[in-house]
């Protein structure tokens, strides 16, 4: 398996633009997590899904952020409009209860820079 | 908020055991302790987890005190590739949420 796939790996955009980050979880995994990492705030959980259904979105910073999981093999995190403070590395992770107590497998991340 | 306390940084000589402590004094009876590590610029990597008993796998050992208020991750023979930030995490009860703290930056030197 190729592991969790994220695209793009790097994104540079201007303030006010819409940004869409993409994630393909490991096949067979039924949990998907979106995290954000910054120097100031560390690694924060934004939202997670189980069987394509959002379970907890309490970490989503504000209405400018939205996440969807239309099927078991694809999820998006959208920021509209983007702001400089959204600059961070965004990680996607997937897991299944059948694996070692729901071990989360992380993707390589998307480094977002908003100018 | 993270429910764990870890030292900010530690050093370890290559080939020696690295013992990384973690305090989780407010842990509930049904909350698991997880350890992940993050090598520079990569996504975090699972190491091990436990509830009450000590655990060992191919990567490390996890020692949990009897009162469960603290634990120690042991890397038996540290290598330069073990240089990373190590996160001790208490998984929120009845959820699948992991709340990452600030972690311990482990530097393994030759």
């Amino acid at each position: 398996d190729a592991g969790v796939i994220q695209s793009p790996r790097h994104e540079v955009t201007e303030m006010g633009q819409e940004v869409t980050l993409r994630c393909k979880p490991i096949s067979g995994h039924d949990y998907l997590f979106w995290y954000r990492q910054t120097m100031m705030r560390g690694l924060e959980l934004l939202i997670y899904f189980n069987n394509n259904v959002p379970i907890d979105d309490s970490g989503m910073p504000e209405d400018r952020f939205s996440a969807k999981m239309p099927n078991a093999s694809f999820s998006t995190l959208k920021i509209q409009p983007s702001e400089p403070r959204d600059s961070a590395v965004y990680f996607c992770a997937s897991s299944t209860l059948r694996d070692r107590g729901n071990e989360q497998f992380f993707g390589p991340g998307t480094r977002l820079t908003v100018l | 908020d993270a429910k764990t306390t870890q030292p900010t940084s530690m050093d370890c000589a290559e080939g020696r055991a690295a013992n990384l402590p973690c305090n989780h004094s407010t842990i509930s009876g049904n909350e698991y302790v997880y350890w992940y590590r993050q090598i520079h610029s990569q996504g975090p990597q699972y190491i091990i987890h436990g509830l009450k008993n000590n655990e060992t796998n191919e990567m490390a050992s996890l020692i949990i005190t009897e009162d469960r208020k603290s634990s120690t991750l042991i890397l038996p023979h540290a290598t330069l590739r073990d240089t990373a930030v190590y996160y001790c995490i208490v998984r929120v009860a009845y959820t699948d949420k992991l709340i990452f703290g600030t972690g311990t930056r482990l530097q393994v030197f030759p």
Side-chain angles (χ1 to χ4, degrees):
Chain A
D1 199 314
V4 175
I5 298 173
Q6 291 188 246
S7 64
R9 293 294 307 279
H10 301 273
E11 176 81 33
V12 180
T13 190
E14 293 189 344
M15 183 173 64
Q17 296 298 305
E18 177 180 295
V19 175
T20 299
L21 311 181
R22 297 172 176 80
C23 176
K24 176 179 169 54
I26 293 173
S27 176
H29 281 191
D30 45 10
Y31 287 83
L32 185 138
F33 304 81
W34 282 101
Y35 291 86
R36 176 174 69 175
Q37 187 170 36
T38 62
M39 288 293 292
M40 291 295 293
R41 300 178 63 89
L43 195 62
E44 304 173 278
L45 176 65
L46 300 178
I47 185 172
Y48 77 94
F49 296 82
N50 180 220
N51 291 323
N52 312 337
V53 176
I55 302 301
D56 187 333
D57 65 355
S58 60
M60 295 286 263
E62 49 198 273
D63 292 345
R64 297 185 298 106
F65 286 68
S66 62
K68 293 182 180 179
M69 192 163 186
N71 57 61
S73 58
F74 184 65
S75 176
T76 60
L77 179 67
K78 185 176 294 186
I79 309 172
Q80 165 63 20
S82 58
E83 296 183 5
R85 60 191 167 127
D86 301 330
S87 296
V89 180
Y90 291 81
F91 289 103
C92 175
S94 71
S95 70
T96 175
L97 279 173
R98 294 182 295 277
D99 272 349
R100 295 204 285 196
N102 211 10
E103 168 190 350
Q104 293 184 23
F105 292 82
F106 282 75
T110 295
R111 183 173 296 276
L112 174 65
T113 302
V114 183
L115 303 174
Chain B
D1 290 336
K3 297 176 61 174
T4 63
T5 305
Q6 300 177 252
T8 303
S9 63
M10 295 182 64
D11 290 338
C12 179
E14 190 176 20
R16 304 298 293 269
N19 296 279
L20 291 87
C22 179
N23 184 295
H24 31 79
S25 57
T26 61
I27 194 170
S28 300
N30 52 6
E31 290 181 322
Y32 285 76
V33 179
Y34 280 72
W35 283 82
Y36 279 72
R37 72 180 183 184
Q38 187 172 24
I39 296 170
H40 180 62
S41 298
Q42 299 180 18
Q45 175 191 24
Y46 167 88
I47 301 173
I48 199 166
H49 76 282
L51 182 64
K52 295 191 276 194
N53 300 322
N54 298 336
E55 302 286 345
T56 295
N57 63 21
E58 65 277 7
M59 288 183 69
S61 294
L62 173 60
I63 309 298
I64 302 174
T65 58
E66 193 168 341
D67 64 7
R68 302 212 323 122
K69 291 179 187 263
S70 65
S71 61
T72 301
L73 178 74
I74 301 172
L75 307 179
H77 305 287
T79 71
L80 298 178
R81 288 175 296 181
D82 292 322
T83 292
V85 176
Y86 287 77
Y87 296 98
C88 171
I89 304 155
V90 172
R91 195 178 92 188
V92 179
Y94 306 114
T95 77
D96 301 286
K97 294 172 67 166
L98 298 178
I99 308 298
F100 285 76
T102 54
T104 296
R105 184 172 298 276
L106 175 68
Q107 179 69 54
V108 180
F109 58 90

